């Protein structure tokens, strides 16, 4: 908790305490902690001197600003049309199989969360997924296995 | 290939000296730059196709001492990936275009709004931005650029939603008017253009409006980046002259079995094979931000439409009722018809609903759902029912 408060203070020092600093601060917390806890959101509200409801309302609008705990590695598989046509379902099933979780779930050790997302902008090289910020295009069952195994070993 | 003209403007090599086009543009007056843009006939490359020169002119005419230039790099339309490539290969041209616009309208500050999905590009862009700032200082051009990130919301590609997001709010579109040229970012006069539009502006400053006008047709000047995907052996990014027929496009990019092309992404139009010959790709025909998705005869157009409606239902900001409820009902409706829970005549009611959304939705998202919905349902009715 004190770590979260220190993080928010340093983000506010960097981005300022005006309303337009809110997005960079929310993004900075998600980058470090993978999600926005209640503590984080109320602390941001205090730091920027705005209502906590404003912070919560803004955060919950954006699909990448999670407000529930996520794993250390958040996997987002693109589900939009061309990735769908080129086998995203098999890729998701393979990841479910490897991590022993279902879509939307987080592994017990809090290492991985598996989600889907809308168009990632790699339609010519689908299926594609993001692991945190890194895109992995041209996926098939073998390739996704290789990538996930590498993360498991990390 | 003889019917399609390939062009190499956008990805063409940089000038030998860094930011040379920007430097030479600094000796021109605001009026000269804007006149060149107007003369070129350049229309915005994000999809809507507003005349870029006019947008710059309106903003330049505003008296407010504080103005902004915003680069819309929130490329979220399904089937579009050209801005990602442009920002990877030639970011210098994008920053140059923003800076030239700054000179033209009298702005000192620019923002690039980069979608969260492209966060991985930020370190490289920041490096280039540092080089830009060094050169801008050297030219005595008082114009700084800041990059702001999105966080996974398609609607933030809508210009006023994008401003809201930079301002630290929910990405909900505003009522128009006022337009951005009068009251945009932080309620100040603002030019907002797509990534590709700024690169085109640089090319116009480099080669002149007359050279630029030699490409394309009278309604669609210049070249366009196309993002080609789906059932095609040539998926990728291709820069082509505007004004070609869809038949020529399919001859080049199809797999020999193309039954439909979705032009302009999920918010664009689905063109069936029988219309390939008489469909022109450009502002005089079917406009596109560059997304071209090909479907061959093995594809179920019901699945395609279902996927688009899933997308819109999730990405609708929920602010206005026609879009929030409309997207849900269209999706529920096609599922019910497919399952036989509703008669096929129910599709007509859904078409009426999509027409209503076109008129009543607050922004481009809700208004354009009808484009793909009506063009798929009307052209592939059997596939919706059986």
């Amino acid at each position: 908790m004190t770590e979260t408060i220190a993080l928010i203070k340093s983000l506010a020092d960097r981005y300022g305490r005006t309303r337009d600093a809110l997005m960079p601060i929310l993004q900075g917390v998600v980058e470090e902690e993978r999600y926005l806890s209640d503590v984080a959101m109320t602390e941001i509200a205090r730091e920027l001197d705005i209502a906590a409801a404003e912070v919560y309302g803004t955060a919950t609008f954006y699909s990448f600003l999670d407000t529930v705990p996520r794993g250390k590695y958040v996997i987002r598989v693109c589900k939009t049309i061309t990735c769908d046509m080129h086998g995203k379902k098999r890729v998701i099933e393979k990841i479910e199989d490897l991590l022993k979780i279902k879509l939307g779930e987080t592994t017990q050790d809090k290492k991985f969360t598996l989600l889907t997302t809308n168009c990632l902008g790699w339609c010519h090289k689908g299926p594609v997924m993001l692991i945190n910020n890194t895109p992995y295009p041209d996926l098939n069952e073998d390739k996704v296995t290789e990538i996930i195994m590498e993360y498991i070993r990390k | 290939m003889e019917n399609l003209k390939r062009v190499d403007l956008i990805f063409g090599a940089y000038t030998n000296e860094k930011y040379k086009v920007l430097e030479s543009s600094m000796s021109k007056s605001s009026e000269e730059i804007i006149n060149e843009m107007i003369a070129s006939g350049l229309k915005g490359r994000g999809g809507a196709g507003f005349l870029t020169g006019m947008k710059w002119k309106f903003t330049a005419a505003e008296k407010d001492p504080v103005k902004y230039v915003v680069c819309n790099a929130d490329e979220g339309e399904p089937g579009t990936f050209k801005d990602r490539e442009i920002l990877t290969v030639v970011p210098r041209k994008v920053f140059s275009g923003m800076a030239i616009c700054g000179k033209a309208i009298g702005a000192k500050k620019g923002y690039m709004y980069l979608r969260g999905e492209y966060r991985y590009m930020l370190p490289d862009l920041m490096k280039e931005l540092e080089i830009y700032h060094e050169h801008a200082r050297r030219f005595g051009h008082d114009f700084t650029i800041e990059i702001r990130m999105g966080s996974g919301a398609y609607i933030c590609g809508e210009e006023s939603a994008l401003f809201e997001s930079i301002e630290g709010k929910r990405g909900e579109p505003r009522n128009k008017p006022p337009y951005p040229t009068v009251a945009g970012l932080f309620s100040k006069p603002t030019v907002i253009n797509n990534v590709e539009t700024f690169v085109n502006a640089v090319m116009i400053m480099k080669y002149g409006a007359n050279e630029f006008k030699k490409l394309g047709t009278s309604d669609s000047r210049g070249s366009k980046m196309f993002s080609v995907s789906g059932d095609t052996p040539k998926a990728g990014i291709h820069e082509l002259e505007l004004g070609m027929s869809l038949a020529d496009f399919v001859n080049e990019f199809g797999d020999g079995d193309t039954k439909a092309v979705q032009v302009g992404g999920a918010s664009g139009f689905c063109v069936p094979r029988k219309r390939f010959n008489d469909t022109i790709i450009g502002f005089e025909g079917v406009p596109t931000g560059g997304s071209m998705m090909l479907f061959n005869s093995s594809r179920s157009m019901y699945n395609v439409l279902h996927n688009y409606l899933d997308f819109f239902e999730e990405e609708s900001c929920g602010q206005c009722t026609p879009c929030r409820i409309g997207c849900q009902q269209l999706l529920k409706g096609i599922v019910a018809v497919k399952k036989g829970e509703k008669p096929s005549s129910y599709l007509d009611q859904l078409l009426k609903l999509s027409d209503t959304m076109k008129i009543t939705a607050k922004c481009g998202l809700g208004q354009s759902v009808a484009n793909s919905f009506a063009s798929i349902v009307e052209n592939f009715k059997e596939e919706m029912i059986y």
Side-chain angles (χ1 to χ4, degrees):
Chain A
M1 194 167 141
T2 46
E3 271 175 35
T4 303
I5 291 171
L7 169 67
I8 290 164
K9 189 177 178 302
S10 74
L11 288 167
D13 286 342
R14 180 170 167 199
Y15 296 113
R17 287 172 172 77
T18 50
R19 179 66 191 252
D20 73 303
L22 180 55
M23 286 292 284
I25 292 173
L26 291 170
Q27 288 159 346
V29 173
V30 172
E31 192 78 28
E32 288 298 315
E33 305 194 337
R34 310 277 27 124
Y35 87 111
L36 294 153
S37 61
D38 290 353
V39 170
M41 286 187 279
T42 42
E43 183 58 22
I44 293 169
R46 206 187 57 75
E47 198 67 59
L48 300 190
D49 196 21
I50 54 178
E54 291 280 340
V55 176
Y56 181 78
T58 304
T60 51
F61 185 86
Y62 297 91
S63 65
F64 282 16
L65 298 178
D66 289 305
T67 50
V68 290
R70 299 295 193 201
K72 184 178 175 200
Y73 299 111
V74 180
I75 305 169
R76 296 176 203 269
V77 182
C78 175
K79 63 176 177 180
T80 308
I81 189 69
T82 40
C83 288
D84 184 66
M85 285 160 58
H86 292 134
K88 92 173 180 214
K89 190 159 170 267
R90 288 194 303 279
V91 167
I92 292 170
E93 284 167 0
K94 192 74 212 178
I95 302 172
E96 288 178 330
D97 198 37
L98 289 166
L99 299 177
K100 314 223 162 19
I101 50 171
K102 290 283 162 208
L103 195 58
E105 292 177 351
T106 300
T107 53
Q108 289 233 309
D109 61 1
K110 303 267 186 292
K111 192 163 176 185
F112 294 97
T113 298
L114 176 61
L115 304 170
T116 53
T117 188
N118 284 324
C119 193
L120 287 174
W122 291 84
C123 317
H124 58 321
K125 291 184 176 178
V128 56
M129 65 177 173
L130 279 181
I131 300 185
N132 293 348
N133 293 328
T134 310
Y136 293 92
D138 284 322
L139 295 177
N140 54 38
E141 282 155 287
D142 290 344
K143 194 169 168 191
V144 80
T145 304
E146 209 174 287
I147 295 163
I148 298 293
M149 291 312 287
E150 205 172 293
Y151 274 89
I152 288 175
R153 284 191 292 269
K154 275 190 189 181
Chain B
M1 199 59 232
E2 59 274 15
N3 292 322
L4 290 186
K5 191 164 166 197
R6 287 189 186 257
V7 190
D8 195 21
L9 269 180
I10 304 282
F11 290 134
Y14 286 146
T15 47
N16 288 333
E17 282 171 64
K18 286 176 184 165
Y19 289 95
K20 186 80 194 149
V21 182
L22 175 61
E23 186 176 17
S24 61
S25 303
M26 288 304 107
S27 61
K28 298 206 161 64
S29 70
S30 156
E31 210 180 353
E32 281 172 316
I33 295 171
I34 289 171
N35 286 341
E36 199 70 12
M37 288 302 139
I38 293 174
S40 74
L42 173 65
K43 290 180 179 176
R45 296 308 197 221
F50 192 80
L51 284 162
T52 305
M54 296 310 284
K55 206 183 250 187
W56 291 20
K57 188 179 172 178
F58 294 150
T59 314
E62 290 293 320
K63 297 280 175 262
D64 202 310
V66 179
K67 297 177 188 177
Y68 295 105
V69 175
V70 177
C71 175
N72 187 343
D74 193 49
E75 177 175 58
E77 189 63 48
T80 317
F81 39 92
K82 46 108 187 163
D83 292 340
R84 184 175 52 70
E85 194 76 4
I86 292 172
L87 289 166
T88 305
V89 182
V90 288
R92 188 169 298 168
K93 295 185 187 178
V94 183
F95 295 141
S96 294
M98 292 175 71
I100 290 168
C101 178
K103 164 97 186 180
I105 68 166
K108 290 186 168 58
K109 172 107 194 189
Y111 287 90
M112 172 179 283
Y113 186 86
L114 183 69
R115 70 189 302 225
E117 290 83 343
Y118 295 170
R119 171 66 177 72
Y120 76 98
M121 298 165 64
L122 191 60
D124 284 346
L125 285 172
M126 294 302 285
K127 263 184 233 159
E128 180 60 41
L129 200 52
E130 214 172 290
I131 300 173
Y132 159 76
H133 282 126
E134 271 169 34
H135 283 81
R137 269 194 300 274
R138 191 164 61 81
F139 309 148
H141 184 33
D142 181 15
F143 183 81
T144 56
I145 298 174
E146 191 177 325
I147 299 176
R148 292 296 185 98
M149 298 302 305
S151 271
Y154 167 74
I155 188 58
C156 289
E158 197 279 341
E159 54 192 20
S160 64
L162 189 155
F163 299 148
E164 292 286 306
S165 185
I166 293 181
E167 291 177 16
K169 298 176 224 158
R170 294 165 67 86
E172 292 176 345
R174 301 172 182 167
N175 283 321
K176 290 179 203 175
Y179 291 98
T181 52
V182 178
L185 183 60
F186 301 116
S187 302
K188 297 293 181 186
T190 303
V191 162
I192 177 165
N193 279 137
N194 176 261
V195 170
E196 187 183 347
T197 311
F198 282 120
V199 178
N200 270 296
V202 175
M203 294 300 105
I204 290 163
M205 293 315 291
K206 185 176 178 184
Y207 297 110
N210 284 331
E211 278 302 305
F212 184 81
K213 270 169 75 175
K214 285 182 186 164
L215 292 169
T217 61
S218 60
D219 282 332
S220 309
R221 297 291 186 199
S223 66
K224 177 84 192 80
M225 301 301 305
F226 286 93
S227 310
V228 183
S229 69
D231 294 313
T232 166
K234 296 179 184 169
I237 292 142
H238 303 270
E239 185 176 357
L240 303 168
E241 191 175 10
L242 279 166
M244 67 193 147
S245 81
L246 190 53
D248 285 340
F249 179 86
V250 169
N251 277 340
E252 172 69 16
F253 293 101
D255 62 0
D257 186 26
T258 308
K259 80 165 168 188
V261 180
Q262 181 77 19
V263 182
S267 65
F269 295 86
C270 182
V271 184
R273 183 187 290 148
K274 63 175 188 255
R275 299 290 309 281
F276 287 174
N277 274 320
D278 55 7
T279 300
I280 299 293
I281 307 302
F283 297 107
E284 63 270 63
V286 184
T288 172
S291 170
M292 305 291 279
M293 294 186 275
L294 293 88
F295 303 111
N296 69 20
S297 60
S298 74
R299 302 295 172 191
S300 153
M301 296 310 288
Y302 171 81
N303 287 348
V304 171
L305 181 58
H306 193 292
N307 189 285
Y308 290 164
L309 290 174
D310 266 339
F311 175 84
F312 285 127
E313 193 221 7
E314 270 182 29
E315 297 294 348
S316 168
C317 81
Q319 187 188 186
C320 77
T321 311
C323 180
R324 182 182 66 245
I325 307 290
C327 290
Q328 292 171 2
Q329 291 304 316
L330 292 179
L331 179 58
K332 273 188 182 172
I334 64 159
V335 172
V337 170
K338 191 75 174 178
K339 281 186 179 163
E341 289 165 0
K342 293 274 184 193
S344 56
S345 60
Y346 190 62
L347 289 174
D348 297 327
Q349 251 171 290
L350 295 176
L351 283 168
K352 267 191 216 163
L353 172 59
S354 74
D355 264 348
T356 307
M357 289 167 70
K358 194 173 218 164
I359 303 163
T360 56
K362 184 169 175 175
C363 81
L365 192 158
Q367 291 161 12
S368 61
V369 173
N371 296 347
S372 56
F373 186 81
S375 58
I376 293 177
V377 167
E378 281 164 2
N379 288 304
F380 298 95
K381 205 159 196 170
E382 301 78 25
E383 292 190 37
M384 299 301 123
I385 302 165
Y386 305 108

